[in-house]
Amino acid sequence: MSLLHDGVRRDALAELSRFRGEFYACLTGRGDALFELADAVLCADGPVRSLVELSLVGEHRRGHGGLYDALSQGSIDADGLRRALAAVPLPRAADGRIVLAVDITCWLRPDAHTSPERILCHTYGQGKDQHIPVPGWPYSVITALESGRSSWTAPLDALRLAPGDDAATVTARQLRDLVQRLIEAGQWQTGDPDLLVVADAGYDAPRLAFLLKDLPVQVLARMRSDRVLRRACPPRLSGTMGRPPRHGGEFAFGQPDTWGTPATETVTDTRLYGTATARSWDRLHPRLTHRSSWACQDGTLPVIEGTVIRLQVDRLPSGATPKPVWLWWSGTDATPTDADRLWQVFLRRFDIEHTFRLFKQTLGWTCPKIRTPEAADRWTWLILAAYTQLRLARPLAADLRRPWERPAPPERMTPARVRRGFRHLRHKTTCPTGAPKPSRPGPGRPPGRKNSRPTPRHNVHTARKTDPAKPASKKAPQVSNPRPRHTG
């Protein structure tokens, strides 16, 4: 057993050293300063609260001027780093498939009036269902999920959304590039189960499935409880006149009398949620219109069929009243085993929230007051590379627990506890940076001379509700008794 454990440690150390070497090769400008900055994030005592304080960490041998110069003037080969992230060992589900979770997290910059390309980001207030728009930089992040209960994920890509970007289109392009990299890295081969993409209700799941239909990808996403889908069109009788219909009867999530008999129904006892009842209905699709993201679609809109799963649990860990969760899966003909597997995989999607919390509260992703979005992208890639090193160091880190914490085996240690012992592992891995060269600070602005070129200020970009090229339509007359709003 000891020889086997030593072999695992040697392999883990070799993999960690290999990734550190590839990470350093991707730092094409100010590479030594950027690499040591990432090491300072990993070896700092406690959470990262200030960017300049990282220059006082022993692993960062440059001064604070070189730190800021590296972030503002350095360069990173993002495509090369994406390939390096796709080549590291990835967690897989119980059936051997790779499960990818997509979500958007925001770097809020409400007072950064000199920072360009800020977008209004929706945040939750303390009130019930209170949404507050705050200016910031939204990032679309893709991670690979583990199968069991864990706070670990494997971040594979991060992309900042520019003003005017459609989230579904950008995410589909981002997923397409990632799947191609995974195939090139040998993570997926012909005959393996399809990759499963898990998303929340903010994504248009049928559109994602339509844009990725030529890839070995399945889409699983939550839908709002007010959605109305359509059933498959019934067989057309011979001799029927007129154009054949494309949609069947309505399936309204909020109207149980439209559901009919479910295709599958399972009951599972869980420790956290009590009894979980999952029912599924096969071959349901939304009725699409030439609006929103489908406005540029030419010709007849497609019929995208899938499986709808309704999950109802007895209780929630927070003590709140549980509400039913509606899921849409791009596959059809789901078996009871598929339905159970899908809703359990969807619950694992919330592990990405632990990763975002670690990025912001421990690794200090959003603490720097960076002005340009290009510098924010460089800092984001450093955080992803640092987290990947923590994940590769899981079998190597010692459990440096606090007196009030319980002992934990290596497979149950959290990312924050692995980070405590990374300083003791760093000298055993590859450290390709060179010694800093002596230098003197620049002269700066002469005393008494004012700044004659103030930094330009930028407005926050907001989404336009109407196309300025089209004439404004007349206001529709008010209806005294309108029909209930159905969202397809």
Side-chain angles (χ1 to χ4, degrees):
M1 183 65 68
S2 177
L3 293 178
L4 180 61
H5 183 67
D6 292 342
V8 172
R9 289 182 60 88
R10 284 195 300 269
D11 294 342
L13 186 60
E15 184 65 28
L16 177 59
S17 298
R18 184 194 64 82
F19 177 78
R20 285 171 63 86
E22 293 184 355
F23 170 51
Y24 181 77
C26 297
L27 305 178
T28 55
R30 311 296 200 280
D32 290 349
L34 290 175
F35 190 88
E36 291 188 358
L37 179 58
D39 280 354
V41 172
L42 292 171
C43 300
D45 295 330
V48 177
R49 301 300 185 190
S50 173
L51 185 63
V52 69
E53 290 182 357
L54 292 177
S55 63
L56 304 178
V57 180
E59 285 72 15
H60 190 276
R61 299 178 293 177
R62 273 79 181 168
H64 62 277
L67 183 149
Y68 281 103
D69 181 69
L71 280 181
S72 58
Q73 301 297 330
S75 59
I76 298 179
D77 182 9
D79 294 336
L81 189 52
R82 287 186 174 100
R83 290 191 294 269
L85 292 175
V88 298
L90 296 182
R92 296 175 182 267
D95 57 352
R97 75 175 69 234
I98 298 177
V99 181
L100 303 177
V102 296
D103 202 356
I104 295 178
T105 182
C106 300
W107 185 341
L108 301 181
R109 299 301 310 277
D111 300 327
H113 303 289
T114 59
S115 297
E117 300 185 12
R118 290 184 303 158
I119 306 175
L120 286 180
C121 305
H122 291 279
T123 58
Y124 290 95
Q126 296 183 357
K128 181 180 179 181
D129 297 334
Q130 185 180 9
H131 299 271
I132 303 176
V134 179
W137 291 316
Y139 280 83
S140 175
V141 182
I142 303 179
T143 64
L145 302 179
E146 295 190 355
S147 57
R149 296 176 54 203
S150 173
S151 59
W152 288 92
T153 62
L156 298 176
D157 194 15
L159 182 65
R160 179 173 50 85
L161 299 181
D165 285 346
D166 177 62
T169 305
V170 172
T171 304
R173 184 171 62 251
Q174 189 182 9
L175 284 169
R176 177 176 296 276
D177 296 339
L178 175 59
V179 171
Q180 295 295 339
R181 292 194 298 269
L182 294 177
I183 295 176
E184 294 174 359
Q187 301 284 7
W188 185 90
Q189 299 177 0
T190 304
D192 293 346
D194 291 347
L195 286 77
L196 184 61
V197 177
V198 187
D200 206 2
Y203 290 88
D204 189 352
R207 180 164 177 80
L208 275 179
F210 175 76
L211 296 176
L212 302 174
K213 62 181 179 180
D214 58 329
L215 296 176
V217 169
Q218 297 177 357
V219 178
L220 174 67
R222 184 169 66 93
M223 282 189 168
R224 291 172 40 174
S225 59
D226 61 347
R227 293 294 297 268
V228 177
L229 302 185
R230 294 302 184 101
R231 302 182 186 274
C233 185
R236 184 176 176 84
L237 300 178
S238 59
T240 305
M241 304 296 291
R243 186 178 65 178
R246 303 183 69 243
H247 310 284
E250 288 187 348
F251 184 96
F253 290 179
Q255 300 178 7
D257 56 336
T258 63
W259 298 350
T261 304
T264 65
E265 184 172 0
T266 60
V267 179
T268 307
D269 292 330
T270 62
R271 185 178 66 89
L272 290 178
Y273 306 101
T275 302
T277 304
R279 290 185 287 177
S280 68
W281 291 265
D282 194 26
R283 298 190 180 278
L284 298 176
H285 65 274
R287 184 175 181 178
L288 305 178
T289 58
H290 285 88
R291 293 182 300 176
S292 184
S293 57
W294 297 98
C296 299
Q297 187 73 22
D298 297 332
T300 304
L301 294 177
V303 174
I304 308 172
E305 293 185 335
T307 301
V308 171
I309 302 173
R310 182 183 186 271
L311 175 64
Q312 181 69 56
V313 298
D314 287 342
R315 61 177 183 270
L316 295 176
S318 61
T321 303
K323 297 181 180 180
V325 176
W326 292 91
L327 306 176
W328 187 88
W329 178 48
S330 60
T332 55
D333 301 328
T335 63
T337 304
D338 292 335
D340 275 343
R341 174 179 59 85
L342 291 171
W343 70 259
Q344 293 177 19
V345 167
F346 176 78
L347 294 182
R348 295 267 60 83
R349 192 209 70 85
F350 295 98
D351 294 343
I352 196 174
E353 303 296 339
H354 298 288
T355 301
F356 292 158
R357 188 179 301 112
L358 182 84
F359 282 179
K360 298 179 180 180
Q361 298 182 2
T362 303
L363 302 184
W365 175 49
T366 58
C367 74
K369 306 302 181 182
I370 296 176
R371 176 179 297 174
T372 63
E374 293 78 14
D377 294 342
R378 297 186 193 101
W379 176 245
T380 302
W381 282 115
L382 292 183
I383 296 298
L384 261 66
Y387 183 89
T388 303
Q389 296 181 55
L390 288 180
R391 191 170 63 86
L392 296 177
R394 288 176 66 182
L396 305 171
D399 186 13
L400 304 180
R401 62 186 182 91
R402 302 289 189 259
W404 55 86
E405 294 176 344
R406 295 181 179 179
E411 63 274 5
R412 299 297 302 171
M413 289 178 59
T414 61
R417 291 176 74 163
V418 173
R419 179 173 173 262
R420 296 174 190 170
F422 192 86
R423 172 172 289 174
H424 306 287
L425 299 173
R426 179 179 176 272
H427 68 279
K428 302 178 182 179
T429 62
T430 300
C431 295
T433 57
K437 299 179 181 179
S439 62
R440 292 181 300 177
R445 186 185 305 156
R449 178 175 297 180
K450 296 182 179 181
N451 184 13
S452 60
R453 293 183 299 177
T455 304
R457 302 169 70 90
H458 302 272
N459 296 327
V460 180
H461 294 266
T462 57
R464 302 182 66 92
K465 297 183 179 181
T466 58
D467 190 354
K470 297 181 180 179
S473 59
K474 296 181 180 180
K475 186 177 180 180
Q478 297 292 333
V479 182
S480 58
N481 188 17
R483 287 186 59 187
R485 187 175 71 89
H486 282 175
T487 59

